[in-house]
Amino acid sequence: MRKVVILLPTYNEKEIIETTIGEVIKYISKITDFNICVLIVDSVSPDGTGKIVEEISKKDNRVELLSVKERGLGLGLVKGYEYAFNKLGAEIVLQMDADLQHNPADIPKLLAPFNKDYDFVQGSRFIKGGGNNLEPHRRFLSWAANLTARILFGALGIHEFTTSFRAFRKRVWQKIDFSRVPHRGKSFIFQPAFLQAVLQQNIKIIEVPIIFTDRRKGYSKMDMVQYSYELLRYGLKIRTKMHAKFIKFCIVGTSGALIQSIIYGLFKEIIHPSGAIMIGAELAIINGFIWNNRWTYRDRQIIGNKMGKFIQYNVGSLGSLVIQGATVGIGIAMFGRSQLTDWFFACLGIGIGLIWNFVFYSKVVWKKNQ
C-alpha cells in the first residue's frame, strides 16, 4: 500500500494544533487505499507547540514530530520533505497549513488523482468548485498575487500558485534542485517558487478545487506587502531568465542598427544612398552573426561550417526585410498614406520582422542539438 505523509509546518500554533491533528486523523482514518501518517514540522515554537505534538504522538503512532531549529516556512518544508521521503519511506507527501485554513475534508480530493498517475496535485481556490472565503481585501490580494505569478511565470494554465495545499510523488521531489528554490528566512516565496520549478520538469500536474477559509485561532505570520514585493521581484527575475536569449538578441540587434546608421551617414553622400544602406545592412548582419554566435547562442555556438550558417543567417535576415516591406505595403494599400500610418506600419513591420528573425535563428541557424 502506498505510503502518504501529511506534512504540516508549524510555528506558534498551540491554540489550534491539537484540533487540526484531530481533524486530519478523522479524515485519513476513512481512507483505505493509502497508508497515511502525519508529520508536524515545528520551527521550535516558543509557545510550546512542539510539546503538544510530542504528547499526541505518544498516544497515536500515526503522528510524528520533526523539530527544525532554524525558523522559516520554506526551510521547514524542505526539511520535512527530506525526512518524509528518506526516513518515513513516503511515496507521496501532502502538505497543508496547520491553522485549518485548509479543510482536512479535502484530503481525499488531493489524493484521488494519484490513482490516475498524476505526479503533482495542486489545491486551487480559483477554478470551478473552489472558494476563497476571506475578507474582501484579502480575497483581492490573493487573486492579484496569483495573477501576477501566472503572468510572470508564463503559466496561465495554472490558476493557483500561493496556497500550500498540494501533494506530490517522490520522483517530483527528486527532480527539483532545492538549492535553486529560495527557501531560507521568513519569506513565503517558497510556495510559488516551488511550483514554478515543478512546471519546468516533465511532470503530470492537475488542479483540484478547494475552499480556503480564514484561520480559526492565532494570527497570520504573513506580511502581505512584503510578500507581494518578493513575489514581484522573484517573478521578474524568472521572466528575465526565461527570455534571456531574446533580450540578448535585441541588444545585438540594436548594435547592428547603430552600425547601419553610422555607415549610412558616412557613405550616403559618397555613393548612392541605396548602396550606402545596403553596405550598412550587410555590416550589421555580419556584426549580428558574430555576436549572436558568441553571446546570445553561446550554449549552441557554431564551431565548424560557419559559412553555411552565415548564408542561412543572411536568408533569415532577408525574410525579415520582405516581411517589413510587405507589412508597410499592405498597410498603406488598406489605410492610405499619412505620417501616422507610415510610422505605425513601419514599426509593426519591424516588430514582426524581429520576431521572425529570432524564431528563424533559434530554429534553423542555432537550432538545439545541432
Side-chain angles (χ1 to χ4, degrees), residues 310-347:
F310 180 65
I311 293 172
Q312 287 183 344
Y313 188 88
N314 272 270
V315 170
S317 300
L318 179 63
S320 176
L321 293 175
V322 171
I323 289 171
Q324 292 176 45
T327 302
V328 172
I330 294 171
I332 290 174
M334 293 178 64
F335 298 97
R337 289 203 63 179
S338 70
Q339 286 285 347
L340 178 62
T341 55
D342 284 1
W343 278 106
F344 175 79
F345 287 107
C347 292

Side-chain angles (χ1 to χ4, degrees), residues 121-243:
V121 182
Q122 175 64 52
S124 177
R125 297 166 282 182
F126 305 107
I127 61 174
K128 185 177 180 181
N132 195 21
N133 297 344
L134 298 173
E135 297 172 351
H137 74 283
R138 292 185 63 200
R139 272 205 308 272
F140 171 76
L141 287 172
S142 59
W143 171 83
N146 277 283
L147 180 61
T148 300
R150 293 171 67 197
I151 292 172
L152 292 179
F153 295 157
L156 294 178
I158 300 296
H159 301 82
E160 178 74 74
F161 273 88
T162 60
T163 189
S164 62
F165 206 2
R166 55 181 58 153
F168 53 93
R169 296 184 190 272
K170 183 176 182 178
R171 60 173 171 256
V172 174
W173 172 71
Q174 291 172 326
K175 284 186 175 184
I176 303 300
D177 180 1
F178 284 100
S179 67
R180 295 178 173 271
V181 182
H183 61 274
R184 294 189 176 274
K186 299 178 182 179
S187 173
F188 285 77
I189 198 66
F190 175 77
Q191 307 291 18
F194 177 30
L195 181 51
Q196 190 276 332
V198 168
L199 292 172
Q200 305 311 304
Q201 309 299 320
N202 184 24
I203 288 170
K204 195 174 180 184
I205 184 171
I206 188 173
E207 290 183 285
V208 298
I210 61 167
I211 305 297
F212 191 84
T213 59
D214 208 349
R215 60 187 300 136
R216 299 183 192 176
K217 296 180 181 180
Y219 64 95
S220 175
K221 288 82 177 175
M222 179 183 288
D223 181 334
M224 282 302 300
V225 175
Q226 180 69 18
Y227 177 67
S228 299
Y229 166 73
E230 290 174 352
L231 179 61
L232 182 62
R233 185 179 65 174
Y234 184 75
L236 288 172
K237 177 181 176 182
I238 292 298
R239 173 59 72 175
T240 301
K241 186 176 180 180
M242 289 168 63
H243 296 289

Side-chain angles (χ1 to χ4, degrees), residues 17-282:
I17 190 61
E18 188 171 359
T19 303
T20 300
I21 293 174
E23 288 286 302
V24 171
I25 291 295
K26 180 174 75 173
Y27 285 101
I28 68 174
S29 297
K30 300 175 183 178
I31 300 173
T32 58
D33 49 345
F34 293 96
N35 175 21
I36 307 176
C37 68
V38 181
L39 175 64
I40 309 298
V41 181
D42 185 62
S43 298
V44 195
S45 299
D47 72 344
T49 300
K51 293 180 181 179
I52 296 173
V53 175
E54 200 169 6
E55 290 301 315
I56 296 173
S57 67
K58 292 176 182 178
K59 301 172 185 176
D60 192 331
N61 59 11
R62 292 173 293 181
V63 180
E64 186 159 344
L65 171 68
L66 173 65
S67 292
V68 178
K69 293 182 179 180
E70 186 179 342
R71 185 183 170 189
L73 175 65
L75 181 65
L77 287 170
V78 171
K79 294 286 187 182
Y81 301 157
E82 183 179 0
Y83 189 85
F85 288 122
N86 288 340
K87 300 294 184 181
L88 300 181
E91 181 181 333
I92 298 165
V93 162
L94 186 154
Q95 69 177 67
M96 59 188 295
D97 292 347
D99 53 16
L100 291 179
Q101 290 191 107
H102 297 145
N103 189 348
D106 286 331
I107 291 174
K109 196 185 298 184
L110 268 77
L111 291 178
F114 292 105
N115 292 321
K116 299 179 181 178
D117 294 325
Y118 282 96
D119 297 311
F120 192 101
V121 182
Q122 175 64 52
S124 177
R125 297 166 282 182
F126 305 107
I127 61 174
K128 185 177 180 181
N132 195 21
N133 297 344
L134 298 173
E135 297 172 351
H137 74 283
R138 292 185 63 200
R139 272 205 308 272
F140 171 76
L141 287 172
S142 59
W143 171 83
N146 277 283
L147 180 61
T148 300
R150 293 171 67 197
I151 292 172
L152 292 179
F153 295 157
L156 294 178
I158 300 296
H159 301 82
E160 178 74 74
F161 273 88
T162 60
T163 189
S164 62
F165 206 2
R166 55 181 58 153
F168 53 93
R169 296 184 190 272
K170 183 176 182 178
R171 60 173 171 256
V172 174
W173 172 71
Q174 291 172 326
K175 284 186 175 184
I176 303 300
D177 180 1
F178 284 100
S179 67
R180 295 178 173 271
V181 182
H183 61 274
R184 294 189 176 274
K186 299 178 182 179
S187 173
F188 285 77
I189 198 66
F190 175 77
Q191 307 291 18
F194 177 30
L195 181 51
Q196 190 276 332
V198 168
L199 292 172
Q200 305 311 304
Q201 309 299 320
N202 184 24
I203 288 170
K204 195 174 180 184
I205 184 171
I206 188 173
E207 290 183 285
V208 298
I210 61 167
I211 305 297
F212 191 84
T213 59
D214 208 349
R215 60 187 300 136
R216 299 183 192 176
K217 296 180 181 180
Y219 64 95
S220 175
K221 288 82 177 175
M222 179 183 288
D223 181 334
M224 282 302 300
V225 175
Q226 180 69 18
Y227 177 67
S228 299
Y229 166 73
E230 290 174 352
L231 179 61
L232 182 62
R233 185 179 65 174
Y234 184 75
L236 288 172
K237 177 181 176 182
I238 292 298
R239 173 59 72 175
T240 301
K241 186 176 180 180
M242 289 168 63
H243 296 289
K245 272 190 171 55
F246 186 68
I247 293 171
K248 291 178 180 179
F249 172 78
C250 289
I251 293 172
V252 172
T254 301
S255 71
L258 182 62
I259 289 171
Q260 187 175 6
S261 300
I262 292 172
I263 295 300
Y264 178 72
L266 290 174
F267 289 94
K268 67 184 179 66
E269 301 298 335
I270 301 173
I271 61 176
H272 194 276
S274 61
I277 198 71
M278 290 176 66
I279 293 172
E282 188 56 34

